[in-house]
PDB file of all heavy atoms in Angstrom:
ATOM      1  N   THR A 324      -0.034  -1.496 -25.485  1.00  0.00           N
ATOM      2  CA  THR A 324      -0.671  -1.529 -24.168  1.00  0.00           C
ATOM      3  C   THR A 324      -0.574  -0.169 -23.499  1.00  0.00           C
ATOM      4  O   THR A 324       0.303   0.632 -23.835  1.00  0.00           O
ATOM      5  CB  THR A 324      -0.005  -2.598 -23.265  1.00  0.00           C
ATOM      6  OG1 THR A 324      -0.723  -2.721 -22.047  1.00  0.00           O
ATOM      7  CG2 THR A 324       1.441  -2.248 -22.959  1.00  0.00           C
ATOM      8  N   LYS A 325      -1.471   0.084 -22.576  1.00  0.00           N
ATOM      9  CA  LYS A 325      -1.468   1.348 -21.850  1.00  0.00           C
ATOM     10  C   LYS A 325      -0.554   1.209 -20.639  1.00  0.00           C
ATOM     11  O   LYS A 325      -0.844   0.462 -19.708  1.00  0.00           O
ATOM     12  CB  LYS A 325      -2.892   1.706 -21.415  1.00  0.00           C
ATOM     13  CG  LYS A 325      -3.005   3.089 -20.806  1.00  0.00           C
ATOM     14  CD  LYS A 325      -4.455   3.456 -20.531  1.00  0.00           C
ATOM     15  CE  LYS A 325      -4.560   4.865 -19.965  1.00  0.00           C
ATOM     16  NZ  LYS A 325      -5.971   5.260 -19.700  1.00  0.00           N
ATOM     17  N   ILE A 326       0.546   1.946 -20.643  1.00  0.00           N
ATOM     18  CA  ILE A 326       1.539   1.842 -19.573  1.00  0.00           C
ATOM     19  C   ILE A 326       1.325   2.905 -18.511  1.00  0.00           C
ATOM     20  O   ILE A 326       1.531   2.668 -17.322  1.00  0.00           O
ATOM     21  CB  ILE A 326       2.958   1.930 -20.168  1.00  0.00           C
ATOM     22  CG1 ILE A 326       3.193   0.725 -21.091  1.00  0.00           C
ATOM     23  CG2 ILE A 326       4.004   1.973 -19.074  1.00  0.00           C
ATOM     24  CD1 ILE A 326       4.473   0.793 -21.881  1.00  0.00           C
ATOM     25  N   GLY A 327       0.901   4.094 -18.910  1.00  0.00           N
ATOM     26  CA  GLY A 327       0.671   5.154 -17.933  1.00  0.00           C
ATOM     27  C   GLY A 327       1.912   5.990 -17.697  1.00  0.00           C
ATOM     28  O   GLY A 327       2.974   5.779 -18.297  1.00  0.00           O
ATOM     29  N   SER A 328       1.779   6.944 -16.797  1.00  0.00           N
ATOM     30  CA  SER A 328       2.879   7.864 -16.490  1.00  0.00           C
ATOM     31  C   SER A 328       3.758   7.254 -15.406  1.00  0.00           C
ATOM     32  O   SER A 328       3.518   7.441 -14.212  1.00  0.00           O
ATOM     33  CB  SER A 328       2.321   9.215 -16.024  1.00  0.00           C
ATOM     34  OG  SER A 328       1.525   9.795 -17.025  1.00  0.00           O
ATOM     35  N   THR A 329       4.750   6.530 -15.822  1.00  0.00           N
ATOM     36  CA  THR A 329       5.653   5.884 -14.870  1.00  0.00           C
ATOM     37  C   THR A 329       7.021   5.718 -15.506  1.00  0.00           C
ATOM     38  O   THR A 329       7.135   5.630 -16.737  1.00  0.00           O
ATOM     39  CB  THR A 329       5.093   4.510 -14.439  1.00  0.00           C
ATOM     40  OG1 THR A 329       5.905   3.951 -13.422  1.00  0.00           O
ATOM     41  CG2 THR A 329       5.038   3.540 -15.610  1.00  0.00           C
ATOM     42  N   LEU A 330       8.048   5.699 -14.682  1.00  0.00           N
ATOM     43  CA  LEU A 330       9.405   5.483 -15.181  1.00  0.00           C
ATOM     44  C   LEU A 330       9.666   3.984 -15.195  1.00  0.00           C
ATOM     45  O   LEU A 330       9.780   3.352 -14.141  1.00  0.00           O
ATOM     46  CB  LEU A 330      10.421   6.206 -14.306  1.00  0.00           C
ATOM     47  CG  LEU A 330      11.885   6.026 -14.690  1.00  0.00           C
ATOM     48  CD1 LEU A 330      12.130   6.497 -16.136  1.00  0.00           C
ATOM     49  CD2 LEU A 330      12.797   6.773 -13.726  1.00  0.00           C
ATOM     50  N   LEU A 331       9.758   3.420 -16.381  1.00  0.00           N
ATOM     51  CA  LEU A 331      10.000   1.984 -16.512  1.00  0.00           C
ATOM     52  C   LEU A 331      11.466   1.670 -16.207  1.00  0.00           C
ATOM     53  O   LEU A 331      12.365   2.461 -16.542  1.00  0.00           O
ATOM     54  CB  LEU A 331       9.659   1.524 -17.928  1.00  0.00           C
ATOM     55  CG  LEU A 331       8.189   1.685 -18.344  1.00  0.00           C
ATOM     56  CD1 LEU A 331       8.012   1.298 -19.801  1.00  0.00           C
ATOM     57  CD2 LEU A 331       7.290   0.832 -17.453  1.00  0.00           C
ATOM     58  N   PRO A 332      11.738   0.526 -15.595  1.00  0.00           N
ATOM     59  CA  PRO A 332      13.129   0.180 -15.240  1.00  0.00           C
ATOM     60  C   PRO A 332      14.089   0.200 -16.436  1.00  0.00           C
ATOM     61  O   PRO A 332      15.213   0.675 -16.315  1.00  0.00           O
ATOM     62  CB  PRO A 332      12.988  -1.230 -14.649  1.00  0.00           C
ATOM     63  CG  PRO A 332      11.589  -1.288 -14.133  1.00  0.00           C
ATOM     64  CD  PRO A 332      10.781  -0.468 -15.082  1.00  0.00           C
ATOM     65  N   ARG A 333      13.622  -0.311 -17.587  1.00  0.00           N
ATOM     66  CA  ARG A 333      14.528  -0.350 -18.736  1.00  0.00           C
ATOM     67  C   ARG A 333      14.798   1.046 -19.282  1.00  0.00           C
ATOM     68  O   ARG A 333      15.898   1.337 -19.783  1.00  0.00           O
ATOM     69  CB  ARG A 333      13.931  -1.236 -19.848  1.00  0.00           C
ATOM     70  CG  ARG A 333      14.848  -1.396 -21.063  1.00  0.00           C
ATOM     71  CD  ARG A 333      16.163  -2.083 -20.671  1.00  0.00           C
ATOM     72  NE  ARG A 333      17.084  -2.157 -21.796  1.00  0.00           N
ATOM     73  CZ  ARG A 333      17.972  -1.231 -22.113  1.00  0.00           C
ATOM     74  NH1 ARG A 333      18.055  -0.110 -21.380  1.00  0.00           N
ATOM     75  NH2 ARG A 333      18.787  -1.392 -23.132  1.00  0.00           N
ATOM     76  N   ILE A 334      13.838   1.933 -19.180  1.00  0.00           N
ATOM     77  CA  ILE A 334      14.050   3.326 -19.581  1.00  0.00           C
ATOM     78  C   ILE A 334      15.028   4.001 -18.623  1.00  0.00           C
ATOM     79  O   ILE A 334      15.919   4.749 -19.024  1.00  0.00           O
ATOM     80  CB  ILE A 334      12.717   4.091 -19.600  1.00  0.00           C
ATOM     81  CG1 ILE A 334      11.783   3.517 -20.676  1.00  0.00           C
ATOM     82  CG2 ILE A 334      12.938   5.577 -19.816  1.00  0.00           C
ATOM     83  CD1 ILE A 334      12.215   3.768 -22.090  1.00  0.00           C
ATOM     84  N   ALA A 335      14.879   3.708 -17.337  1.00  0.00           N
ATOM     85  CA  ALA A 335      15.752   4.313 -16.328  1.00  0.00           C
ATOM     86  C   ALA A 335      17.199   3.897 -16.509  1.00  0.00           C
ATOM     87  O   ALA A 335      18.114   4.664 -16.183  1.00  0.00           O
ATOM     88  CB  ALA A 335      15.267   3.930 -14.936  1.00  0.00           C
ATOM     89  N   SER A 336      17.428   2.693 -17.036  1.00  0.00           N
ATOM     90  CA  SER A 336      18.798   2.199 -17.191  1.00  0.00           C
ATOM     91  C   SER A 336      19.357   2.422 -18.596  1.00  0.00           C
ATOM     92  O   SER A 336      20.471   1.985 -18.893  1.00  0.00           O
ATOM     93  CB  SER A 336      18.851   0.701 -16.856  1.00  0.00           C
ATOM     94  OG  SER A 336      18.080  -0.050 -17.796  1.00  0.00           O
ATOM     95  N   ALA A 337      18.601   3.085 -19.446  1.00  0.00           N
ATOM     96  CA  ALA A 337      19.068   3.310 -20.821  1.00  0.00           C
ATOM     97  C   ALA A 337      20.366   4.121 -20.827  1.00  0.00           C
ATOM     98  O   ALA A 337      20.509   5.093 -20.076  1.00  0.00           O
ATOM     99  CB  ALA A 337      17.995   4.037 -21.627  1.00  0.00           C
ATOM    100  N   SER A 338      21.288   3.730 -21.667  1.00  0.00           N
ATOM    101  CA  SER A 338      22.569   4.426 -21.776  1.00  0.00           C
ATOM    102  C   SER A 338      22.360   5.781 -22.451  1.00  0.00           C
ATOM    103  O   SER A 338      21.315   6.033 -23.055  1.00  0.00           O
ATOM    104  CB  SER A 338      23.542   3.586 -22.596  1.00  0.00           C
ATOM    105  OG  SER A 338      23.101   3.514 -23.954  1.00  0.00           O
ATOM    106  N   PRO A 339      23.359   6.672 -22.400  1.00  0.00           N
ATOM    107  CA  PRO A 339      23.219   7.981 -23.073  1.00  0.00           C
ATOM    108  C   PRO A 339      22.878   7.860 -24.557  1.00  0.00           C
ATOM    109  O   PRO A 339      22.042   8.607 -25.063  1.00  0.00           O
ATOM    110  CB  PRO A 339      24.584   8.626 -22.851  1.00  0.00           C
ATOM    111  CG  PRO A 339      25.068   8.028 -21.558  1.00  0.00           C
ATOM    112  CD  PRO A 339      24.592   6.613 -21.583  1.00  0.00           C
ATOM    113  N   SER A 340      23.524   6.916 -25.244  1.00  0.00           N
ATOM    114  CA  SER A 340      23.238   6.770 -26.677  1.00  0.00           C
ATOM    115  C   SER A 340      21.838   6.205 -26.897  1.00  0.00           C
ATOM    116  O   SER A 340      21.144   6.602 -27.850  1.00  0.00           O
ATOM    117  CB  SER A 340      24.286   5.862 -27.333  1.00  0.00           C
ATOM    118  OG  SER A 340      24.265   4.563 -26.755  1.00  0.00           O
ATOM    119  N   GLU A 341      21.408   5.286 -26.034  1.00  0.00           N
ATOM    120  CA  GLU A 341      20.052   4.756 -26.140  1.00  0.00           C
ATOM    121  C   GLU A 341      19.018   5.840 -25.865  1.00  0.00           C
ATOM    122  O   GLU A 341      17.989   5.924 -26.547  1.00  0.00           O
ATOM    123  CB  GLU A 341      19.868   3.587 -25.160  1.00  0.00           C
ATOM    124  CG  GLU A 341      20.616   2.329 -25.549  1.00  0.00           C
ATOM    125  CD  GLU A 341      20.531   1.248 -24.486  1.00  0.00           C
ATOM    126  OE1 GLU A 341      20.383   1.601 -23.285  1.00  0.00           O
ATOM    127  OE2 GLU A 341      20.625   0.056 -24.828  1.00  0.00           O
ATOM    128  N   ALA A 342      19.287   6.677 -24.865  1.00  0.00           N
ATOM    129  CA  ALA A 342      18.372   7.771 -24.558  1.00  0.00           C
ATOM    130  C   ALA A 342      18.265   8.741 -25.733  1.00  0.00           C
ATOM    131  O   ALA A 342      17.175   9.246 -26.043  1.00  0.00           O
ATOM    132  CB  ALA A 342      18.834   8.504 -23.298  1.00  0.00           C
ATOM    133  N   GLU A 343      19.386   8.983 -26.402  1.00  0.00           N
ATOM    134  CA  GLU A 343      19.381   9.854 -27.580  1.00  0.00           C
ATOM    135  C   GLU A 343      18.482   9.279 -28.661  1.00  0.00           C
ATOM    136  O   GLU A 343      17.674   9.995 -29.270  1.00  0.00           O
ATOM    137  CB  GLU A 343      20.817   9.991 -28.100  1.00  0.00           C
ATOM    138  CG  GLU A 343      20.938  10.821 -29.347  1.00  0.00           C
ATOM    139  CD  GLU A 343      21.200  12.289 -29.062  1.00  0.00           C
ATOM    140  OE1 GLU A 343      21.801  12.594 -28.023  1.00  0.00           O
ATOM    141  OE2 GLU A 343      20.777  13.104 -29.891  1.00  0.00           O
ATOM    142  N   ASP A 344      18.597   7.969 -28.892  1.00  0.00           N
ATOM    143  CA  ASP A 344      17.759   7.322 -29.909  1.00  0.00           C
ATOM    144  C   ASP A 344      16.286   7.372 -29.520  1.00  0.00           C
ATOM    145  O   ASP A 344      15.419   7.637 -30.366  1.00  0.00           O
ATOM    146  CB  ASP A 344      18.188   5.862 -30.102  1.00  0.00           C
ATOM    147  CG  ASP A 344      19.564   5.734 -30.739  1.00  0.00           C
ATOM    148  OD1 ASP A 344      20.019   6.718 -31.377  1.00  0.00           O
ATOM    149  OD2 ASP A 344      20.188   4.665 -30.595  1.00  0.00           O
ATOM    150  N   LEU A 345      15.996   7.140 -28.251  1.00  0.00           N
ATOM    151  CA  LEU A 345      14.608   7.157 -27.793  1.00  0.00           C
ATOM    152  C   LEU A 345      13.995   8.551 -27.944  1.00  0.00           C
ATOM    153  O   LEU A 345      12.812   8.690 -28.260  1.00  0.00           O
ATOM    154  CB  LEU A 345      14.540   6.711 -26.323  1.00  0.00           C
ATOM    155  CG  LEU A 345      14.843   5.236 -26.037  1.00  0.00           C
ATOM    156  CD1 LEU A 345      14.972   5.013 -24.533  1.00  0.00           C
ATOM    157  CD2 LEU A 345      13.766   4.334 -26.617  1.00  0.00           C
ATOM    158  N   SER A 346      14.793   9.579 -27.719  1.00  0.00           N
ATOM    159  CA  SER A 346      14.273  10.944 -27.795  1.00  0.00           C
ATOM    160  C   SER A 346      13.855  11.306 -29.214  1.00  0.00           C
ATOM    161  O   SER A 346      13.076  12.251 -29.411  1.00  0.00           O
ATOM    162  CB  SER A 346      15.315  11.944 -27.279  1.00  0.00           C
ATOM    163  OG  SER A 346      16.394  12.066 -28.194  1.00  0.00           O
ATOM    164  N   ARG A 347      14.377  10.577 -30.210  1.00  0.00           N
ATOM    165  CA  ARG A 347      14.064  10.871 -31.606  1.00  0.00           C
ATOM    166  C   ARG A 347      13.145   9.813 -32.212  1.00  0.00           C
ATOM    167  O   ARG A 347      12.970   9.755 -33.435  1.00  0.00           O
ATOM    168  CB  ARG A 347      15.358  10.988 -32.422  1.00  0.00           C
ATOM    169  CG  ARG A 347      16.275  12.083 -31.884  1.00  0.00           C
ATOM    170  CD  ARG A 347      17.481  12.322 -32.760  1.00  0.00           C
ATOM    171  NE  ARG A 347      18.375  13.314 -32.165  1.00  0.00           N
ATOM    172  CZ  ARG A 347      18.173  14.625 -32.218  1.00  0.00           C
ATOM    173  NH1 ARG A 347      17.113  15.107 -32.834  1.00  0.00           N
ATOM    174  NH2 ARG A 347      19.033  15.464 -31.651  1.00  0.00           N
ATOM    175  N   SER A 348      12.556   8.994 -31.356  1.00  0.00           N
ATOM    176  CA  SER A 348      11.625   7.974 -31.837  1.00  0.00           C
ATOM    177  C   SER A 348      10.418   8.629 -32.504  1.00  0.00           C
ATOM    178  O   SER A 348       9.937   9.684 -32.076  1.00  0.00           O
ATOM    179  CB  SER A 348      11.168   7.100 -30.662  1.00  0.00           C
ATOM    180  OG  SER A 348      10.093   6.257 -31.052  1.00  0.00           O
ATOM    181  N   SER A 349       9.916   7.987 -33.539  1.00  0.00           N
ATOM    182  CA  SER A 349       8.712   8.497 -34.197  1.00  0.00           C
ATOM    183  C   SER A 349       7.458   8.216 -33.385  1.00  0.00           C
ATOM    184  O   SER A 349       6.394   8.775 -33.662  1.00  0.00           O
ATOM    185  CB  SER A 349       8.580   7.862 -35.585  1.00  0.00           C
ATOM    186  OG  SER A 349       8.474   6.443 -35.464  1.00  0.00           O
ATOM    187  N   ASN A 350       7.597   7.359 -32.373  1.00  0.00           N
ATOM    188  CA  ASN A 350       6.459   6.990 -31.525  1.00  0.00           C
ATOM    189  C   ASN A 350       6.396   7.948 -30.331  1.00  0.00           C
ATOM    190  O   ASN A 350       7.279   7.922 -29.468  1.00  0.00           O
ATOM    191  CB  ASN A 350       6.620   5.550 -31.041  1.00  0.00           C
ATOM    192  CG  ASN A 350       5.391   5.038 -30.296  1.00  0.00           C
ATOM    193  OD1 ASN A 350       4.537   5.819 -29.878  1.00  0.00           O
ATOM    194  ND2 ASN A 350       5.312   3.734 -30.140  1.00  0.00           N
ATOM    195  N   PRO A 351       5.365   8.789 -30.231  1.00  0.00           N
ATOM    196  CA  PRO A 351       5.302   9.731 -29.106  1.00  0.00           C
ATOM    197  C   PRO A 351       5.188   9.050 -27.752  1.00  0.00           C
ATOM    198  O   PRO A 351       5.603   9.630 -26.745  1.00  0.00           O
ATOM    199  CB  PRO A 351       4.050  10.567 -29.418  1.00  0.00           C
ATOM    200  CG  PRO A 351       3.241   9.735 -30.350  1.00  0.00           C
ATOM    201  CD  PRO A 351       4.226   8.940 -31.143  1.00  0.00           C
ATOM    202  N   VAL A 352       4.653   7.828 -27.710  1.00  0.00           N
ATOM    203  CA  VAL A 352       4.560   7.120 -26.435  1.00  0.00           C
ATOM    204  C   VAL A 352       5.953   6.784 -25.921  1.00  0.00           C
ATOM    205  O   VAL A 352       6.234   6.877 -24.726  1.00  0.00           O
ATOM    206  CB  VAL A 352       3.711   5.839 -26.580  1.00  0.00           C
ATOM    207  CG1 VAL A 352       3.630   5.098 -25.246  1.00  0.00           C
ATOM    208  CG2 VAL A 352       2.322   6.169 -27.094  1.00  0.00           C
TER     209      VAL A 352
END
Side-chain angles (χ1 to χ4, degrees):
T324 186
K325 187 174 182 179
I326 296 172
S328 300
T329 186
L330 178 58
L331 297 175
R333 183 62 184 89
I334 295 291
S336 65
S338 68
S340 61
E341 289 174 332
E343 178 92 29
D344 292 340
L345 290 170
S346 71
R347 301 186 184 281
S348 170
S349 60
N350 187 344
V352 179

